[in-house]
Amino acid sequence: MPDTPPQTLRDLPNWRYLLQEYDELYRYLPAGGSDRIRGHQRKVREAISRLLKKNAVVQVQPRAEKPVTAHLRRALDEGRQGVLAPVVRAFDALDSQLSWQYGYEKVPKGLANSYAYAELAGQNGPVICDDLILGVVLFAPGCTYPAHAHKGITESYVCLSGAVSENHQGVYVPGSMIFNPPDHLHRITVGDREPALLAYAWIGDKADLHAQKMVFTRARK
């Protein structure tokens, strides 16, 4: 019996639509006059364009939930009323195919019920890609995500719903982008009343992208 050919973005149009919406995010969100942020946005768009042009393979992963996904419906409902409703709707269309993860062998204390992420593109899929990682992260109300940094990786978050602060410096609401250059130590806090849903993109060398180990830094007393 012949092997079943792998599925691609053309076979699974909802995945293609989601990538198109991410391209729109990184094409039209303002860079605030920052050349560094503008350059990062361009690199993300170029990587997405390569995936679309080559009709990337999609390996749909088994559905997996975490306790925080009890807040997902609220986050999606709020996001559909916001400025980024198109990307929220594209994400919601794939809800049944998302594999929510912690990303740690041992979940840090306090995060097991208040945090999880779902990767959308990367070395392990679902959209197979080796020079970019895309995903979404969901935080419960009142969550504090401890200080951490990413070696060699430029990271951005786009707030889709809710409100968060990074390092207690400014408040990010739907339509806002957080930019973290490589090795930048950052800590995220979430509003008390609503969950927060953030899209993210990582750009870096292939070795750095796929050899990341999350290390948290203890807050100084």
Side-chain angles (χ1 to χ4, degrees):
M1 220 177 142
D3 292 336
T4 303
Q7 292 183 301
T8 67
L9 291 172
R10 290 195 192 104
D11 301 316
L12 300 168
N14 281 340
W15 285 98
R16 186 178 76 249
Y17 295 143
L18 183 60
L19 287 185
Q20 290 174 181
E21 292 296 343
Y22 266 68
D23 177 81
E24 294 281 304
L25 283 182
Y26 283 84
R27 186 173 304 277
Y28 294 113
L29 284 182
S34 167
D35 290 340
R36 293 183 71 183
I37 295 175
R38 189 178 298 113
H40 169 72
Q41 291 172 323
R42 184 183 65 255
K43 289 179 181 178
V44 173
R45 293 197 312 271
E46 289 171 348
I48 292 173
S49 179
R50 288 191 292 271
L51 291 174
L52 293 169
K53 286 180 179 178
K54 75 177 185 181
N55 189 31
V57 169
V58 182
Q59 295 180 349
V60 178
Q61 300 166 352
R63 169 72 173 174
E65 295 186 345
K66 294 291 184 284
V68 74
T69 52
H71 298 275
L72 180 59
R73 182 50 46 196
R74 175 70 174 188
L76 292 171
D77 288 345
E78 292 294 304
R80 272 192 290 269
Q81 302 176 42
V83 295
L84 298 180
V87 69
V88 173
R89 288 195 298 267
F91 173 73
D92 190 17
L94 292 167
D95 182 23
S96 64
Q97 300 178 44
L98 297 178
S99 181
W100 292 93
Q101 308 171 54
Y102 290 131
Y104 314 96
E105 291 182 5
K106 184 178 180 181
V107 184
K109 184 178 179 181
L111 283 187
N113 295 318
S114 59
Y115 147 87
Y117 73 94
E119 203 159 284
L120 306 173
Q123 188 180 43
N124 299 316
V127 180
I128 302 300
C129 176
D130 62 4
D131 60 355
L132 169 75
I133 294 177
L134 297 177
V136 287
V137 59
L138 177 64
F139 297 111
C143 177
T144 294
Y145 195 82
H148 64 286
H150 306 287
K151 179 180 179 297
I153 287 175
T154 301
E155 173 191 57
S156 57
Y157 293 106
V158 177
C159 185
L160 301 178
S161 70
V164 301
S165 179
E166 183 178 276
N167 296 344
H168 300 294
Q169 297 172 352
V171 178
Y172 299 89
V173 296
S176 303
M177 175 178 286
I178 304 172
F179 175 76
N180 293 319
D183 306 301
H184 172 68
L185 193 65
H186 52 286
R187 175 178 181 265
I188 294 174
T189 53
V190 182
D192 292 334
R193 292 177 58 86
E194 300 290 346
L197 183 68
L198 281 67
Y200 66 83
W202 287 8
I203 287 284
D205 291 338
K206 296 176 185 179
D208 288 328
L209 283 174
H210 305 302
Q212 282 293 308
K213 292 185 179 178
M214 187 68 71
V215 177
F216 290 117
T217 300
R218 291 182 181 274
R220 294 180 179 178
K221 294 183 180 180

